Amino acid sequence: MKNIILLVIGLFFVAGAYSQGLNQTILDSIVKESNRTNSNALIIYKNEKIVYENYFNKPIQRIDAMSATKSVVSIAVMLLLENGFIDSLQQPIYTIYPEWNQGNKKKITIQHLLEHSSGLQNVSNAGIEVEIAPDVIKLALSAELENLPGTKFSYNNKACNLLAGIIEETSELKLDEFLDKYLFAPMDIKDYYWRTDPSGNPYAMAGLEILPADFAKIGLLMLKNGKWNGRQLVSEQGVQIMLESSERNKMYGLQWWLAFEDEDYVIDSEFIASISGKTDDKTLRLVEKLNGNYANMNEVVGKAKSIFSMEELQAIGKLFGGLSKNNWKITPNGKMVTYSAIGYLGQYLIIVPEKDIVLVRMIDAENYKTSTTNASLGNLPKLVEKL
């Protein structure tokens, strides 16, 4: 009986999605892929109405948004600004932490932390350094500089965590308490949990455990330019600032990933230098032969197949397969079509503004581990563009 009820509910939502003008073929593909990859939840809104909701016979539960948490923290910083706790996003960190009133650290601003251009020494795997730190705020404050502030995009979990400290120092509320007061309570988001380090600091890089339906509310807030139930929680200007391409990575705003009509993948000396620590010199020499601009990854693969042997292709494939989108040098063309909060394991909050679509896909760690396929659904943002 339970399975019959779930089937009826599923058919109801599919029919509703079709009636809302979604591309049925793309919707079917998204549902199929979400089911195949052992997802916990898939929720789709169209024109502020829920048109698809599926928990794939799993309990409705809070799920760690992983790095998608960063996008929520970006909203928190914007609220910090709009409620007068900081002067601007260009405010130097040393005005809050005086120990940085020295050398080039004096130049680091709040915006640098948000757009990952602080220049602080970076270990890309958070488990090596950040997750085991007794105090992530002190860890960030004590980090050395490896680049001049504002000169290079480097996705930095350690630096990002300092935003939690800034919020507490300026508002006298911890990150989770601040968001509860200024965002979650007004949006009736009650059932959530925020992971902390051993010193009690909420992580800003990840750690927000939230119900998928409540995560969708964050997307609806952004879609409606900061308005919730007729109340302007975040200014329209603030939302637009969060979604402006940063100078050092045009595919990234202030902790939101951006996607455009056309995106050129650029392979040049700068890109090759950025991935030099991820492979051997022989493979890097192969990458040099791919120098140029490509409209998509299929073009990159096509060029590689035309000039490399099978052995060389395997080396290139191993390297490229280990790169995430933020490792690539990508130049956007045309208008922005989606913006997203994206997290490890395949946590997605994707907004398609021109189509009034908000999509949430979430998976918990246990289901990810037991999945027999690649559960991260890396192709999901491109599919959602076509819904």
Side-chain angles (χ1 to χ4, degrees):
M1 177 62 71
K2 178 182 177 182
N3 288 337
I4 294 174
I5 293 172
L6 288 172
L7 176 61
V8 171
I9 292 172
L11 289 172
F12 171 79
F13 278 119
V14 169
Y18 183 76
S19 68
Q20 288 291 330
L22 296 183
N23 183 313
Q24 191 66 32
T25 302
I26 298 298
L27 175 63
D28 290 344
S29 179
I30 290 173
V31 173
K32 181 180 178 180
E33 285 295 286
S34 297
N35 186 49
R36 181 183 67 82
T37 54
N38 216 16
S39 302
N40 283 71
L42 176 66
I43 302 172
I44 304 174
Y45 277 83
K46 170 76 174 179
N47 297 327
E48 299 182 69
K49 296 179 180 178
I50 192 164
V51 294
Y52 189 85
E53 185 173 23
N54 195 338
Y55 296 94
F56 304 97
N57 294 320
K58 299 178 180 69
I60 299 175
Q61 63 188 52
R62 295 190 313 252
I63 298 173
D64 192 333
M66 301 294 181
S67 281
T69 300
K70 291 181 175 72
S71 302
V72 182
V73 173
S74 178
I75 297 174
V77 175
M78 193 56 61
L79 288 167
L80 198 71
L81 173 63
E82 294 183 353
N83 284 278
F85 294 108
I86 56 176
D87 299 329
S88 76
L89 297 182
Q90 286 69 47
Q91 183 174 336
I93 306 299
Y94 81 81
T95 61
I96 301 164
Y97 289 101
E99 57 265 48
W100 273 17
N101 190 12
Q102 57 171 310
N104 285 318
K105 277 191 174 181
K106 187 175 182 178
K107 301 175 183 177
I108 303 175
T109 66
I110 294 170
Q111 179 146 343
H112 288 147
L113 297 180
L114 288 166
E115 64 183 19
H116 296 283
S117 65
S118 67
L120 290 178
Q121 179 269 339
N122 190 9
V123 177
S124 57
N125 185 342
I128 294 175
E129 187 178 26
V130 181
E131 292 279 5
I132 62 174
D135 188 318
V136 295
I137 306 301
K138 289 182 179 178
L139 178 70
L141 287 172
S142 63
E144 298 295 328
L145 280 177
E146 59 183 15
N147 296 295
L148 288 175
T151 61
K152 182 180 179 181
F153 176 87
S154 181
Y155 192 81
N156 193 324
N157 287 303
K158 177 166 53 183
C160 179
N161 281 327
L162 188 54
L163 291 168
I166 289 169
I167 289 170
E168 183 172 0
E169 288 292 322
T170 55
S171 73
E172 299 184 352
L173 292 170
K174 288 188 177 294
L175 170 59
D176 55 336
E177 297 170 334
F178 181 85
L179 274 169
D180 188 71
K181 178 177 180 179
Y182 290 96
L183 189 71
F184 290 169
M187 297 181 69
D188 197 33
I189 297 175
K190 299 174 181 177
D191 188 4
Y192 69 92
Y193 174 78
W194 211 296
R195 286 195 296 118
T196 64
D197 69 12
S199 297
N201 299 303
Y203 292 105
M205 64 176 185
L208 169 61
E209 295 181 11
I210 189 168
L211 293 171
D214 284 339
F215 201 32
K217 289 181 179 181
I218 302 297
L220 291 168
L221 175 79
M222 294 292 290
L223 179 66
K224 303 311 293 181
N225 291 310
K227 186 175 287 188
W228 184 257
N229 286 341
R231 179 182 173 187
Q232 198 76 43
L233 299 183
V234 187
S235 72
E236 185 170 344
Q237 181 185 17
V239 171
Q240 295 311 308
I241 289 172
M242 285 186 273
L243 301 179
E244 290 177 2
S245 292
S246 64
E247 289 187 15
R248 298 303 162 191
N249 186 343
K250 298 298 184 182
M251 310 302 294
Y252 201 71
L254 299 184
Q255 313 237 67
W256 288 88
W257 291 100
L258 314 177
F260 295 81
E261 284 181 306
D262 297 302
E263 298 171 359
D264 292 340
Y265 284 69
V266 181
I267 297 179
D268 59 11
S269 58
E270 183 181 354
F271 168 71
I272 293 169
S274 73
I275 63 170
S276 61
K278 298 181 181 295
T279 190
D280 54 76
D281 288 343
K282 183 178 179 181
T283 305
L284 285 177
R285 300 293 80 79
L286 295 176
V287 178
E288 287 177 350
K289 296 180 180 180
L290 295 171
N291 189 74
N293 288 19
Y294 301 85
N296 50 53
M297 276 304 298
N298 288 335
E299 284 195 4
V300 179
V301 173
K303 176 67 177 293
K305 286 181 177 179
S306 70
I307 62 175
F308 294 139
S309 68
M310 183 57 66
E311 181 182 356
E312 291 171 331
L313 277 174
Q314 288 174 345
I316 287 289
K318 182 179 179 181
L319 169 61
F320 287 177
L323 299 180
S324 61
K325 191 169 184 178
N326 59 297
N327 294 131
W328 284 91
K329 183 177 179 181
I330 305 176
T331 302
N333 293 312
K335 63 185 176 182
M336 182 178 69
V337 290
T338 70
Y339 54 94
S340 308
I342 301 176
Y344 179 57
L345 306 184
Q347 319 302 347
Y348 288 102
L349 170 60
I350 303 171
I351 296 99
V352 190
E354 286 205 350
K355 296 183 178 181
D356 278 322
I357 291 173
V358 171
L359 180 143
V360 165
R361 183 269 187 169
M362 301 191 85
I363 181 171
D364 69 19
E366 288 306 311
N367 282 322
Y368 183 88
K369 290 176 185 176
T370 57
S371 176
T372 57
T373 61
N374 179 5
S376 62
L377 269 184
N379 65 333
L380 185 59
K382 285 297 180 184
L383 282 174
V384 177
E385 286 180 20
K386 302 173 183 177
L387 257 180

